[in-house]
Amino acid sequence: MKSAKILCGALTLVGLMASPVWAKDWTTIRIGSEGAYPPFNYFNTDGELVGFDIDIGRALCEKLKAECTFVSQDWDGMIPALLSGKYDVILASMSITEERKKQVDFTDPYYKAALTFVGAADRKYPDLSPQALEDMSLGALSASTQAEFLQANYPDSDLRLYRTQDEVNLDLINGRLDLQVSDLFPMLDWVTNSEDGSCCQLVGNPITEAKYAGEGTGMAVRQEDDELREKLNAALAEIVADGTYKAINAKYFPINIYDMK
């Protein structure tokens, strides 16, 4: 009889573990973003996390009827913090790459991506070949596809990697860098709409190789969270279809960054 009770208890436990009560309903979602990547994510003068990424996140949460909180995280710890459970989604202008897919799953892209060189406004850069830049200092955000691009194509240059994009920009402003490689859209905004950015110019053609620009920019989730990924994909399709995405896009950019059309 004792063994029967144990078996019964074990079966009850298995039944509870398999029950839907253990499944996440995603009515509350924690979203991780950096806060150092304007106009996509940054802190305003009141210390609030704002920007294109944050507006998109809020619109998605409204469609999902979910209560969402935003968590700031340094870029180089973004994926480790997701995997450790600090938040449920990365919404921080992260390019979709094969290397990152080994650790996380991505939603459908929520905007296209490209990289660009940025240099001083009063200098000319007629040649961006590895040979021409061999004696120059080149900067990028650490643990980024921009850094991968420089390391793969300019190994003989003086490569400098930084914890935040603001630090890259500051060294370029102060002449401690000859050039940097960054995402196109934030740099376009920086050089055209900010006082600091007036120091600088976009250099050369956009870098669009999928190996570095990725398949687009997506939201990252843990690989076991398929349901959340599909919910986010459905909500993204909704905000694109009903014009919400277009309205958010227009606040920040003169072109449609969803499909570059």
Side-chain angles (χ1 to χ4, degrees):
M1 181 64 80
K2 184 175 180 182
S3 60
K5 288 182 178 178
I6 293 173
L7 177 59
C8 181
L11 290 173
T12 302
L13 179 59
V14 171
L16 285 172
M17 292 178 68
S19 168
V21 74
W22 292 90
K24 294 181 180 178
D25 57 12
W26 300 115
T27 55
T28 60
I29 301 172
R30 297 162 300 164
I31 300 174
S33 200
E34 184 186 13
Y37 202 56
F40 290 94
N41 54 79
Y42 60 99
F43 288 98
N44 64 16
T45 54
D46 294 324
E48 300 168 324
L49 194 57
V50 296
F52 176 83
D53 288 335
I54 311 307
D55 287 355
I56 291 294
R58 295 191 192 284
L60 295 175
C61 290
E62 185 174 341
K63 293 296 183 185
L64 295 173
K65 295 180 171 54
E67 180 181 340
C68 292
T69 55
F70 290 86
V71 181
S72 63
Q73 170 65 49
D74 288 346
W75 179 259
D76 56 3
M78 195 68 70
I79 289 178
L82 173 69
L83 298 180
S84 69
K86 184 176 180 179
Y87 36 75
D88 306 303
V89 186
I90 296 173
L91 211 171
S93 290
M94 181 172 281
S95 296
I96 302 169
T97 66
E98 291 303 318
E99 190 63 29
R100 288 175 178 152
K101 284 181 183 179
K102 296 175 183 177
Q103 300 182 74
V104 299
D105 281 349
F106 283 96
T107 63
D108 296 335
Y110 68 98
Y111 72 85
K112 295 290 186 182
L115 309 181
T116 185
F117 276 99
V118 186
D122 58 359
R123 288 182 63 176
K124 293 183 178 180
Y125 304 89
D127 187 353
L128 294 176
S129 68
Q131 294 75 21
L133 304 187
E134 191 173 44
D135 296 324
M136 291 191 182
S137 56
L138 310 179
L141 182 66
S142 177
S144 67
T145 51
Q146 303 95 282
E148 292 174 12
F149 171 79
L150 288 180
Q151 290 165 336
N153 295 281
Y154 296 87
D156 296 325
S157 298
D158 176 14
L159 303 183
R160 305 178 187 180
L161 304 183
Y162 297 79
R163 189 176 60 87
T164 70
Q165 186 60 45
D166 286 343
E167 292 173 358
V168 189
N169 295 349
L170 186 60
D171 267 12
L172 185 62
I173 292 169
N174 293 328
R176 290 189 287 266
L177 280 177
D178 293 303
L179 286 160
Q180 65 160 299
V181 173
S182 303
D183 280 347
L184 173 62
F185 296 119
M187 288 300 102
L188 176 62
D189 178 74
W190 185 57
V191 301
T192 56
N193 296 323
S194 73
E195 184 176 346
D196 287 346
S198 64
C199 67
C200 302
Q201 61 174 321
L202 304 189
V203 178
N205 296 319
I207 302 160
T208 57
E209 295 172 70
K211 183 177 180 180
Y212 305 111
E215 303 165 23
T217 301
M219 293 166 271
V221 300
R222 290 178 289 271
Q223 292 177 337
E224 63 268 25
D225 288 338
D226 290 341
E227 183 181 1
L228 176 58
R229 176 172 49 81
E230 291 308 313
K231 283 178 177 288
L232 290 168
N233 281 340
L236 175 60
E238 282 191 59
I239 68 170
V240 170
D242 70 10
T244 302
Y245 185 103
K246 183 178 180 181
I248 295 171
N249 185 104
K251 287 175 55 179
Y252 298 94
F253 307 107
I255 59 176
N256 182 352
I257 71 170
Y258 178 70
D259 56 14
M260 299 287 283
K261 294 179 181 179

